[in-house]
Amino acid sequence: MVPIGFSTYATPEVDVFEALPRIRAIGYDAIEIAIGDAWPTAPHKLNRKTRRSLAGTVRDLGFPPPVLFGPVSTCARGSERGAVLARFIENCVLAEDLNFDDEPSVITTTVSGPLTRWETDRGAVAADLVELADLAAEHHVILAVEPHVGAILDTPEKAAWLMENTRHPHLKIHFDHSHFHVQGIDLRRAADLCLPHTVHIHIKDGYMKDGAVTFLLPGEGSLDLVEYFKILRDAGTEVSVGAEVSAMIWSRPGYDPWHAAEFCYRALDSARRQAVVETSGER
């Protein structure tokens, strides 16, 4: 079955050494570690000894090497670009330090910066991402970019164009269908265009009303999770499906990360099992 993962993006105030065993005990098969400045796992907060201990903990719990959620301003310009490149290198070094496998590590980010018009700026977006991918290659890392509602890269068609016009082995897609779902984009269409280039997956739910987006936990909204896993199964993907708890949720007063983690796992595990049953029956 397709592995199910969880992201420590959902646990910004929890020590990672406490979070990982609890995530594993719930039943998750894979882990994504958030490395933004506000998280306890930001690169500048982890010394060499802590990195070795963290890699060992991930391995001992039976997780594969972690994917890192490390957003940077990919299309920064002028004096800001040097700082972005330096931070991205820091992220890549951390990914190297936490990797205990022969396969490249994966770092995910959205596409952001001052470029906002796809029709005129897509060539510059591609060039900026290739520059980052070249740096990633030096550290045995793959950069996975996430199409995001409201961003310059916001549709499956744009993601496919980017992949076809860069063809960089260290630049791939991070597939989060919620950003397409809220726009009313067909799941199978999005999967057909994105999954051949996908190295990491997020899943959550959501909707758009009067132009405003609300994200939900997977299983709370209208996204058909059984159909979702059937499509992944049909595509033959072995990429883990990582439950993502939006900041819209974890920033609420009284938020309980472990209730959210358990809810997501139950919904996703039930759907993937049902997808196996239904797909096997169809065959």
Side-chain angles (χ1 to χ4, degrees):
M1 289 190 291
V2 175
I4 296 174
F6 193 72
S7 177
T8 64
Y9 184 63
T11 57
E13 298 181 359
V14 182
D15 182 88
V16 69
F17 290 100
E18 174 191 343
L20 292 182
R22 294 192 68 168
I23 292 168
R24 185 61 170 149
I26 290 169
Y28 286 100
D29 309 300
I31 191 72
E32 176 189 79
I33 296 178
I35 59 172
D37 284 339
W39 276 257
T41 39
H44 68 275
K45 297 178 182 178
L46 300 176
N47 60 29
R48 186 174 299 277
K49 180 179 178 182
T50 304
R51 294 176 185 216
R52 286 198 299 267
S53 180
L54 181 54
T57 297
V58 172
R59 182 184 59 244
D60 292 346
L61 286 169
F63 290 128
V67 170
L68 301 187
F69 177 44
V72 294
S73 182
T74 56
C75 300
R77 289 289 181 270
S79 60
E80 294 181 3
R81 185 138 190 95
V84 167
L85 297 179
R87 176 54 188 267
F88 183 68
I89 291 171
E90 289 180 359
N91 293 349
C92 288
V93 170
L94 177 57
E96 281 187 296
D97 290 342
L98 299 181
N99 193 358
F100 45 85
D101 201 345
D102 293 332
E103 295 298 315
S105 300
V106 174
I107 296 177
T108 70
T109 185
T110 54
V111 176
S112 62
L115 303 179
T116 58
R117 291 176 56 84
W118 180 255
E119 294 77 11
T120 57
D121 295 340
R122 61 184 183 178
V125 169
D128 288 346
L129 292 174
V130 165
E131 181 180 29
L132 291 171
D134 285 342
L135 293 174
E138 295 176 9
H139 297 276
H140 198 47
V141 167
I142 292 174
L143 171 63
V145 293
E146 176 183 352
H148 194 291
V149 60
I152 188 171
L153 183 68
D154 61 351
T155 68
E157 289 77 14
K158 292 178 183 179
W161 181 94
L162 180 65
M163 293 295 99
E164 292 164 2
N165 286 272
T166 55
R167 298 187 180 275
H168 196 299
H170 290 264
L171 178 63
K172 299 295 180 182
I173 292 296
H174 173 207
F175 180 57
D176 182 344
H177 185 67
S178 68
H179 296 289
F180 304 143
H181 183 65
V182 299
Q183 298 179 72
I185 296 172
D186 178 69
L187 170 59
R188 189 170 292 275
R189 169 69 174 167
D192 287 346
L193 289 170
C194 292
L195 287 181
H197 311 288
T198 291
V199 293
H200 188 53
I201 293 173
H202 272 171
I203 187 167
K204 56 184 182 291
D205 211 325
Y207 61 91
M208 185 185 296
K209 182 178 181 181
D210 298 328
V213 173
T214 298
F215 286 122
L216 306 169
L217 298 178
E220 285 188 324
S222 61
L223 180 62
D224 186 335
L225 296 180
V226 175
E227 181 65 16
Y228 182 93
F229 278 100
K230 288 170 72 173
I231 287 173
L232 295 185
R233 186 174 169 85
D234 288 347
T237 184
E238 297 180 355
V239 177
S240 65
V241 175
E244 183 191 31
V245 179
S246 168
M248 290 183 179
I249 296 173
W250 59 250
S251 61
R252 296 172 185 164
Y255 164 71
D256 182 346
W258 306 119
H259 172 78
E262 289 168 0
F263 180 94
C264 292
Y265 184 78
R266 287 195 301 270
L268 295 174
D269 184 50
S270 175
R272 71 171 170 176
R273 291 179 183 277
Q274 185 62 32
V276 170
V277 171
E278 292 187 12
T279 304
S280 298
E282 291 169 1
R283 292 174 182 171

